[in-house]
Amino acid sequence: MPVLQPLPNDVSPKPQRVAALATLPLFWSLTRKRVVVAGGSDAAAWKAELLSACGAEVHLYARHSEASEGLLDLITRRAAHECGRLVHHDDSWHDGVFEGAALAIGDCEDDTEAEAFFKAARTAGVPVNVIDKPAFCQFQFGSIVNRSPVVVAISTDGAAPILAQAIRRRIETLLPPAIKHWATIAQRIRERVNARLQPGAARRIFWERFVDRAFQDTPEEGVETRLMAELGRLATPRPAIGRVTIVGAGPGDAELLTLKAVRALQAADVIVYDEQISSDVLELARREAKRILVSRLNPTASGEPRAEDGAQVAALAKAGKRVVRLQPGNPGATSAGIEEAERLERLGIAVELVAGVNADNGDADAAAMTVRAIDATLPRRASC
């Protein structure tokens, strides 16, 4: 059995924890913030409606004679957010409108006006977006799935808005409407959970169970009482119990991981992985999990397992960590994988083997559930 040896720094660089991003996604509160929207088009009206729905005080600059029917209709209606306001100025924008604004959005007829609007906002220190003119945008609006307080935004960095809309439609069909009610409950109980459970395994277990219910059920009467009872049980001191899950990564394609494998990666405290594991596979793991890269290139002279093999994994599990031992192929179908599981069990460690897809015998085509289906059934775990 090869020995798990840490790789020297110069042998193989660790994969990045986060792949390169075209833009940074941010969720920014605009409640009672002043926002400038210039232009009388339907596009400007939509941006104004969106911003007022976020609780902003939206100042619309458009001459009444140039305003679209959509904009005129918007002015007569109340904002969706209780703090949102729409203030119409029967005038064109000018340099003085940006003072005290949190954002500026303009719908400009040509590049000359767009550049002037952009420079005026920048001079005032206000982030600016000129509709449909990427050269004059400091930020973009993504497609939105609204289950507020759950909000999902999709961006293609302006490259393919139609693709973003298609992704939004897909998410709309997968995200249950009841998720907004569960999110509201989470808001109400969050402080109580944080007060009773310290950051770590117990708090994460509570929220993982909460999330599993949120994606399966509609919250019933008395659900908060039952959640608080579960919180009390988890808050009772008890010895930390760790475990090891030996996960097969199959042929290396992240889309061929089983759902069970992804669940293990999402729940792990520590991931011990081989140099053959791809960055795409690691991208599916819980962000906060510690990652340990090891080499399996130094077997004993006889090729037999050594007693100290897996000692690091065992020590982590005995410390109460949930450890994923991530290996290429299918460890459940090899003597090495089975021997590793048996050795850990002899050390008193609870072990589970999660099979990997075997592309050579057609399992890749026959896999009943792959990562392509995960969006429908598995939320990304978060540290709460």
Side-chain angles (χ1 to χ4, degrees):
M1 180 75 178
V3 183
L4 305 181
Q5 296 287 342
L7 284 177
N9 291 334
D10 59 349
V11 172
S12 177
K14 291 184 178 181
Q16 297 292 336
R17 190 176 290 267
V18 179
L21 291 168
T23 55
L24 177 67
L26 295 173
F27 292 87
W28 189 6
S29 174
L30 289 174
T31 303
R32 298 186 177 89
K33 301 286 177 54
R34 185 175 186 274
V35 175
V36 170
V37 175
S41 67
D42 285 340
W46 163 239
K47 293 296 191 290
E49 184 173 4
L50 177 65
L51 293 162
S52 66
C54 295
E57 181 182 282
V58 181
H59 288 258
L60 278 162
Y61 288 86
R63 294 192 182 280
H64 195 280
S65 60
E66 299 172 355
S68 69
E69 289 186 12
L71 185 63
L72 293 174
D73 176 64
L74 177 64
I75 294 169
T76 64
R77 289 188 279 120
R78 295 180 59 183
H81 195 290
E82 61 181 1
C83 297
R85 288 186 61 205
L86 290 160
V87 182
H88 178 227
H89 301 267
D90 187 10
D91 194 4
S92 300
W93 71 271
H94 51 83
D95 290 357
V97 305
F98 301 103
E99 184 176 355
L103 294 175
I105 293 88
D107 189 16
C108 303
E109 292 186 0
D110 52 45
D111 285 354
T112 300
E113 183 188 0
E115 184 176 9
F117 186 86
F118 180 81
K119 288 182 176 179
R122 287 287 305 275
T123 299
V126 180
V128 58
N129 172 288
V130 179
I131 298 171
D132 290 336
K133 296 188 182 298
F136 302 109
C137 293
Q138 289 181 291
F139 62 91
Q140 296 87 36
F141 289 87
S143 293
I144 294 174
V145 178
N146 186 4
R147 301 285 192 275
S148 189
V150 175
V151 179
V152 182
I154 306 104
S155 169
T156 61
D157 195 28
I162 291 178
L163 176 59
Q165 293 168 15
I167 295 170
R168 179 187 61 79
R169 289 194 297 271
R170 180 69 62 86
I171 295 174
E172 287 277 11
T173 63
L174 299 178
L175 199 60
I179 204 73
K180 65 182 299 179
H181 303 300
W182 283 106
T184 301
I185 292 171
Q187 283 183 323
R188 291 200 298 262
I189 68 173
R190 184 181 181 89
E191 289 189 7
R192 282 177 281 173
V193 174
N194 290 350
R196 298 286 302 278
L197 299 177
Q198 294 299 312
R203 186 187 291 183
R204 192 168 63 253
I205 288 170
F206 175 85
W207 286 117
E208 286 175 356
R209 292 174 181 173
F210 178 93
V211 168
D212 285 341
R213 293 183 65 180
F215 275 78
Q216 295 173 11
D217 306 317
T218 299
E220 70 280 9
E221 186 177 351
V223 66
E224 284 191 39
T225 301
R226 284 185 283 277
L227 288 169
M228 290 302 99
E230 184 172 345
L231 175 63
R233 289 191 293 271
L234 287 170
T236 303
R238 63 188 66 190
I241 301 174
R243 61 179 298 110
V244 176
T245 306
I246 301 175
V247 174
D253 186 342
E255 290 194 341
L256 294 178
L257 283 179
T258 64
L259 178 57
K260 193 171 185 179
V262 177
R263 284 190 181 275
L265 288 171
Q266 297 266 309
D269 296 308
V270 182
I271 298 170
V272 180
Y273 65 99
D274 296 345
E275 62 268 29
Q276 300 101 312
I277 300 299
S278 70
S279 297
D280 289 343
V281 170
L282 290 171
E283 180 70 17
L284 295 171
R286 178 171 164 263
R287 298 288 186 203
E288 295 81 6
K290 181 178 180 181
R291 305 180 187 195
I292 300 174
L293 175 62
V294 296
S295 173
R296 299 172 61 84
L297 303 179
N298 298 299
T300 60
S302 64
E304 295 297 318
R306 291 180 11 167
E308 62 268 30
D309 285 358
Q312 183 180 32
V313 171
L316 288 165
K318 287 184 175 181
K321 304 296 184 183
R322 289 183 290 182
V323 183
V324 165
R325 180 69 182 94
L326 186 57
Q327 301 178 358
N330 181 6
T334 65
S335 59
I338 295 171
E339 287 171 1
E340 185 165 1
E342 291 175 346
R343 185 178 61 257
L344 288 165
E345 287 176 342
R346 287 195 297 270
L347 293 171
I349 306 298
V351 182
E352 181 181 10
L353 274 169
V354 177
V357 171
N358 185 344
D360 294 334
N361 66 9
D363 285 352
D365 294 329
M369 177 112 27
T370 69
V371 171
R372 293 187 181 97
I374 287 172
D375 285 339
T377 56
L378 181 66
R380 173 73 66 175
R381 301 295 190 196
S383 178
C384 295

